[in-house]
Amino acid sequence: MRSILALTMLGSMVVGGSGCTTVAKRALKEAAGASSKARAVPGLTSSSLAQCQGISVGTPRSDLGSLVDPKFTSALPVALRDSLTGGEEPLFRGGSPTLEIDSEIAWYHEAGGVGGIVGSDSYVVVLFWLSVDGAPMGKVQLVTKSAASRTGEDDMAKSMAKGLASFLKKHRKKKD
């Protein structure tokens, strides 16, 4: 739906002869929303992921204090549970062994005001500590970015959760 809207807006600008590429770029960024990339921190061993049946998600922590929006902090665990255990084919159905997910918000920048309208992006960097029934596996870093001014904390949390789910799905099938 967002892609259709963006293409319609872009087409209107081209047909209308406006030639304003800045507006076109802005429309595409609004349509794209938030995106996330995950990377394993060196030392991660994912061989025990395939056996995990359930998950445990801890409350995110951060040393950044009021720089982190509390809405994001409360939305992230909910989004993680939904992405990892929801849907028609959940990644984790429940049971033992349990993948334990603890997180630390390392960087949080929320675009706002005029800066958000003219191009300042929102970023969140979270380190996820993974362990299986108390045995540490390692860490995963996730970076979520949005250039869309309408992206809220829920959207950033959902994108981050989908990014972690994609990472875990890929690494459940892969041997170290």
Side-chain angles (χ1 to χ4, degrees):
M1 180 68 177
R2 289 188 281 186
S3 298
I4 293 170
L5 176 63
L7 290 174
T8 303
M9 290 173 63
L10 183 60
S12 297
M13 287 185 288
V14 170
V15 171
S18 73
C20 185
T21 58
T22 302
V23 173
K25 286 180 188 177
R26 187 82 226 142
L28 291 174
K29 288 179 180 180
E30 289 297 323
S35 63
S36 297
K37 286 191 176 188
R39 293 194 67 190
V41 173
L44 175 72
T45 58
S46 58
S47 57
S48 57
L49 274 175
Q51 288 80 33
C52 290
Q53 300 299 312
I55 63 162
S56 169
V57 178
T59 302
R61 61 186 185 278
S62 180
D63 292 335
L64 301 176
S66 63
L67 293 177
V68 179
D69 191 315
K71 292 178 190 171
F72 177 79
T73 304
S74 61
L76 184 58
V78 173
L80 286 168
R81 284 184 203 96
D82 289 348
S83 286
L84 297 172
T85 63
E88 290 181 22
E89 292 185 36
L91 196 53
F92 299 95
R93 298 180 186 275
S96 189
T98 301
L99 174 66
E100 297 158 0
I101 304 169
D102 289 305
S103 57
E104 179 179 6
I105 302 166
W107 187 30
Y108 187 89
H109 173 76
E110 183 177 19
V114 176
I117 295 170
V118 295
S120 180
D121 298 341
S122 294
Y123 291 94
V124 179
V125 178
V126 174
L127 286 175
F128 290 95
W129 276 263
L130 306 178
S131 57
V132 178
D133 289 338
M137 289 176 37
K139 296 180 270 190
V140 177
Q141 172 186 277
L142 249 120
V143 178
T144 298
K145 173 187 173 189
S146 177
S149 60
R150 61 163 175 70
T151 302
E153 294 78 16
D154 285 345
D155 299 318
M156 295 292 279
K158 287 176 185 174
S159 178
M160 184 159 280
K162 287 179 185 175
L164 184 61
S166 293
F167 179 88
L168 293 174
K169 184 175 184 177
K170 177 178 151 186
H171 284 80
R172 277 180 74 123
K173 297 176 181 177
K174 189 168 133 178
K175 299 288 183 204
D176 286 328

